[in-house]
């Protein structure tokens, strides 16, 4: 039975909804603006497209998948390479093409159904894949925390205390309260540089591509560099949807359907490129917020999207969030990423996956080793790494390895013994 506080279709009162939405904004903010900082795109535009993309995603999925769409890290290297070779206008074309790849997958699944997908992804594959989504992000959390360990530990401790011992609504917003508390603690330690806040404008229009003369320009080379990475992002999306389904205790692959997830993400990615933002993906940080708060309301996620859009115009407030020290976010992500890994363990436990069966043991161990180890397979400029190849390896092993369980062996032994007894009689 679900222990949710607010279900997917439920809407919290406005006085609760606003802080709940800000909690998701804090969770996604650092990673979302990091991608444009690394690729040379505009952070304010990226913030705008993440909010717009999330609203589009919720529209396409009928508000049944409580996910936030932020900047995808999978596209960082190809965007940099495409920009260098074909200019930013060519790179935008590659990003639009990546969104179209999603839409092609949407069409295929719409025509073929998802029965084949369920056969490819039994719990013994899903559980470890979900675990590596959290565990593969663990080095990021630790790297952030190591910037100032006392601040990170103080922030994480606050989140734990509010989550475990908080009363009423305080228990529902531990991420928000922990982040604010950690922020204040970091200020007392002299870790916050308010220079960017002083320089930021109160109100400013983001530098959209159509305002700066950087509208997309067809470059097939950029398409070949960027578009294939959509296949990697699709596998990550599948893992994220499985995690969310596990947390909210619904089969989101069937309802609203993974094809709708593909359509929503594809449109969000292509439209983001038209405005000058990077491709979108469902965010693990926000999935962790769902797990720890047990607030699954899609309205809360949509509220976070609206706040992100407003922050892209109110740049001084956005700058206040931007200067939150990495150590504070490290304390937050230690909890959030661990929650995702724990959700994978829950999948294995609840489905009673038998690890006395060598087949299950091999599948899980290969997925975990490849995913946590961060395997990289290069095909020219295309790099297939981490969650993608680990998931693919698990799927292939599940298809290839014979399904000879311990129980079947015992049954065969029992049958053989009975036949021998009858023969002797």
């Amino acid at each position: 039975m679900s222990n949710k506080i607010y279900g997917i279709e439920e809407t919290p009162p406005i006085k609760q909804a606003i802080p709940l939405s800000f909690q998701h904004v804090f969770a996604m903010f650092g990673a979302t603006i990091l991608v444009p900082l690394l690729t040379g795109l505009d952070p304010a535009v990226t913030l705008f497209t993440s909010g717009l993309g999330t609203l589009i995603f919720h529209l396409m999925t009928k508000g049944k998948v409580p996910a936030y769409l932020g900047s995808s890290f999978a596209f960082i290297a190809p965007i940099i390479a495409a920009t260098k070779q074909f200019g930013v206008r060519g790179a935008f074309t590659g990003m639009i093409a990546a969104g179209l790849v999603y839409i092609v997958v949407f069409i295929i699944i719409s025509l073929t159904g998802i029965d084949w997908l369920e056969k490819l992804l039994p719990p013994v594959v899903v559980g470890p894949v979900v675990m590596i989504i959290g565990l593969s992000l663990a080095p990021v959390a630790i790297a952030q925390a190591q910037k100032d360990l006392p601040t990170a530990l103080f922030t994480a401790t606050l989140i734990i205390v509010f989550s475990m011992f908080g009363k009423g609504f305080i228990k529902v917003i531990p991420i928000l309260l922990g982040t604010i508390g950690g922020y204040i603690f970091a200020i007392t330690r002299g870790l916050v540089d308010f220079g960017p806040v002083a320089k930021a404008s109160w109100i400013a229009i983001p530098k959209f591509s159509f305002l700066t003369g950087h509208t997309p320009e067809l470059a097939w080379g950029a398409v070949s560099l960027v578009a294939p990475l959509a296949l990697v992002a699709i596998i990550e999306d599948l893992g994220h949807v499985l995690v969310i389904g596990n947390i909210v205790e619904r089969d989101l692959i069937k309802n609203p359907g993974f094809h709708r997830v593909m359509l929503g993400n594809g449109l969000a990615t292509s439209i983001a490129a038209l405005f000058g933002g990077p491709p979108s993906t469902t965010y693990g940080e926000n999935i962790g917020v769902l797990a720890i708060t047990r607030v699954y309301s899609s309205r809360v996620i949509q509220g976070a999207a609206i706040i992100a859009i407003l922050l892209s115009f109110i740049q001084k407030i956005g700058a206040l969030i931007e200067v939150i020290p990495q150590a504070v976010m490290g304390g937050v992500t230690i909890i959030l990423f661990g929650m995702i890994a724990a959700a994978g363990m829950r999948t294995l436990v609840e489905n009673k996956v038998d690890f006395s069966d060598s087949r299950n043991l091999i599948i899980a161990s290969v997925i975990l080793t490849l995913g946590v180890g961060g395997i990289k397979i290069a095909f020219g400029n295309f790099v297939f790494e981490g969650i993608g190849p680990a998931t693919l390896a698990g799927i292939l092993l599940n298809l290839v390895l014979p399904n000879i369980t311990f129980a079947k062996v015992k049954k065969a032994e029992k049958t053989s013994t009975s036949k021998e007894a009858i023969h002797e009689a």
Side-chain angles (χ1 to χ4, degrees):
M1 187 174 178
S2 177
N3 57 355
K4 67 179 182 293
I5 293 175
Y6 287 108
I8 293 174
E9 291 85 6
E10 295 176 326
T11 303
I14 189 68
K15 63 181 180 180
Q16 294 185 9
I18 292 175
L20 287 170
S21 293
F22 263 108
Q23 198 163 228
H24 281 280
V25 172
F26 279 126
M28 69 81 185
F29 197 94
T32 293
I33 66 168
L34 179 59
V35 173
L37 291 175
L38 293 175
T39 57
L41 301 178
D42 187 82
V45 173
T46 300
L47 203 55
F48 176 87
T49 57
S50 78
L52 178 62
T54 298
L55 294 178
I56 292 170
F57 177 86
H58 279 245
L59 181 63
M60 295 301 103
T61 57
K62 301 180 179 180
K64 294 183 178 181
V65 182
Y68 190 92
L69 268 61
S71 309
S72 174
F73 280 70
F75 290 89
I76 291 175
I79 289 174
I80 293 173
T83 302
K84 185 176 181 180
Q85 294 183 45
F86 308 100
V88 69
R89 297 177 67 187
F92 285 143
T93 303
M95 295 179 228
I96 292 172
L100 296 179
V101 171
Y102 278 94
I103 294 172
V104 168
V105 174
F106 157 74
I107 295 170
I108 292 172
I109 297 177
S110 297
L111 295 174
T112 63
I114 59 168
D115 289 344
W116 58 273
L117 196 59
E118 291 181 325
K119 292 178 181 178
L120 291 179
L121 295 166
V124 71
V125 174
V126 171
V129 167
V130 171
M131 290 175 68
I132 63 173
I133 289 172
L135 295 176
S136 64
L137 291 169
V140 176
I142 298 304
Q144 290 178 325
Q146 293 286 6
K147 299 291 183 181
D148 189 75
L149 202 53
T151 299
L153 293 177
F154 180 81
T155 303
T157 300
L158 284 180
I159 293 171
I160 293 169
V161 169
F162 288 130
S163 180
M164 294 294 297
F165 306 107
K167 301 295 183 182
F169 188 56
I170 288 177
K171 189 178 180 68
V172 184
I173 53 170
I175 306 298
L176 178 63
L177 296 177
T179 303
I180 293 172
Y183 197 176
I184 295 170
F185 184 77
I187 292 172
T188 65
R189 291 177 60 80
L191 299 177
V192 182
D193 175 16
F194 287 108
V197 180
K199 294 178 183 177
S201 303
W202 274 107
I203 304 293
I205 297 175
K207 297 176 182 177
F208 298 124
S209 60
F210 51 82
L211 296 178
T212 59
H214 292 133
T215 51
E217 182 178 65
L218 181 60
W220 289 111
V223 170
S224 66
L225 275 175
V226 180
L229 267 294
L231 298 174
V232 177
I234 285 170
I235 294 175
E236 291 179 351
D237 275 337
L238 177 59
H240 286 165
V241 173
L242 291 169
V243 180
I244 297 170
N246 179 280
I247 292 170
V248 303
E249 298 181 1
R250 290 192 187 182
D251 188 349
L252 302 178
I253 299 296
K254 282 187 175 180
N255 185 16
F258 189 61
H259 63 300
R260 286 188 169 273
V261 171
M262 293 292 91
L263 178 61
N265 211 330
L267 290 175
T269 293
S270 292
I271 291 173
L274 290 174
F275 278 91
S280 304
T281 188
T282 47
Y283 253 30
E285 290 89 337
N286 298 86
I287 296 172
V289 174
L290 295 178
I292 197 170
T293 64
R294 293 176 288 124
V295 174
Y296 309 144
S297 171
S298 287
R299 293 296 187 189
V300 168
I301 307 288
Q302 292 159 18
I306 293 171
I307 291 171
I309 291 171
L310 293 175
L311 289 179
S312 71
F313 290 90
I314 310 172
Q315 294 186 0
K316 200 172 282 290
I317 296 178
L320 272 173
I321 300 176
E322 187 175 341
V323 298
I324 296 175
Q326 288 192 31
V328 174
M329 297 314 300
V332 173
T333 52
I334 284 173
I335 305 294
L336 297 186
F337 296 157
M339 281 286 182
I340 296 173
M345 295 175 63
R346 174 181 167 184
T347 297
L348 296 173
V349 171
E350 289 186 348
N351 288 279
K352 299 179 181 179
V353 176
D354 182 11
F355 282 110
S356 67
D357 182 351
S358 297
R359 180 182 185 276
N360 291 339
L361 197 61
I362 290 170
I363 293 172
S365 58
V366 169
I367 293 173
L368 289 170
T369 303
L370 295 182
V372 176
I375 187 172
K376 296 183 179 181
I377 305 171
F379 302 97
N381 291 320
F382 174 66
V383 180
F384 194 39
E385 61 180 310
I387 297 169
T391 303
L392 184 59
I395 290 171
L396 291 175
L397 286 173
N398 178 61
L399 293 174
V400 171
L401 294 180
N403 192 14
I404 304 175
T405 64
F406 180 73
K408 288 181 179 178
V409 172
K410 295 298 290 182
K411 183 178 179 181
E413 290 177 351
K414 184 177 180 180
T415 302
S416 176
T417 303
S418 299
K419 287 182 178 178
E420 288 176 2
I422 292 171
H423 180 71
E424 289 176 1

